[in-house]
Amino acid sequence: MSETLFSKIINREIPADIVYEDEQCLAFRDVNPQAPVHILVIPKKSIAMLTDAMETDEALLGHLLTTASKVAKQEGFGDAFRLVVNNGADSGQTVFHLHVHILAGRSFSWPPG
Ligand code: AMP
């Protein structure tokens, strides 16, 4: 997979405000926050988008969700947050390294825009 902004963050080639890291994933604050708390959780493995994930990635995908929950709790929003995964350019994906948005700290409307 080609290098993206997020692989550069994983490799510490560009800076980010990292709030959590383990052997499988990294979480850092979004540079253009859409809520008081806006954090991205990304796998260290290069997967461009959710539809590129394989059956063998199931444990990793689950880990991204449990990590998102852990990070939301760490930020003080353990039971009031929204997770978003944009898949593909038409859904609004702009960085082609799989990521889960954690949004918290305000109310959210439904359906999303
Ligand atoms: P998406 O539109 O779902 O692909 O989300 C990409 C997100 O990455 C956007 O919310 C951007 O604000 C965010 N973003 C882009 N570059 C950076 C960066 N260098 N550090 C942190 N967040 C970034």
Side-chain angles (χ1 to χ4, degrees):
M1 200 183 101
S2 60
E3 220 184 31
T4 65
L5 274 174
F6 292 176
S7 58
K8 289 181 181 169
I9 288 174
I10 293 167
N11 295 329
R12 305 302 202 270
E13 291 164 22
I14 60 172
D17 185 357
I18 294 169
V19 298
Y20 177 84
E21 179 170 20
D22 64 27
E23 60 290 339
Q24 296 182 80
C25 70
L26 190 67
F28 52 92
R29 294 188 196 282
D30 196 294
V31 78
N32 182 24
Q34 302 302 310
V37 171
H38 187 172
I39 291 169
L40 304 172
V41 183
I42 69 172
K44 289 186 173 174
K45 177 179 178 182
S46 291
I47 300 172
M49 59 177 113
L50 185 60
T51 43
D52 290 324
M54 320 262 277
E55 271 184 39
T56 50
D57 295 317
E58 279 180 3
L60 175 59
L61 297 179
H63 184 69
L64 296 180
L65 290 185
T66 54
T67 298
S69 174
K70 189 189 295 185
V71 170
K73 189 172 185 185
Q74 179 181 295
E75 292 289 316
F77 293 94
D79 56 5
F81 59 90
R82 178 171 287 185
L83 302 183
V84 173
V85 177
N86 294 321
N87 187 82
D90 288 346
S91 78
Q93 187 175 4
T94 57
V95 179
F96 286 83
H97 183 118
L98 176 63
H99 49 283
V100 178
H101 295 257
I102 307 170
L103 297 151
R106 65 169 171 86
S107 56
F108 299 100
S109 59
W110 191 263

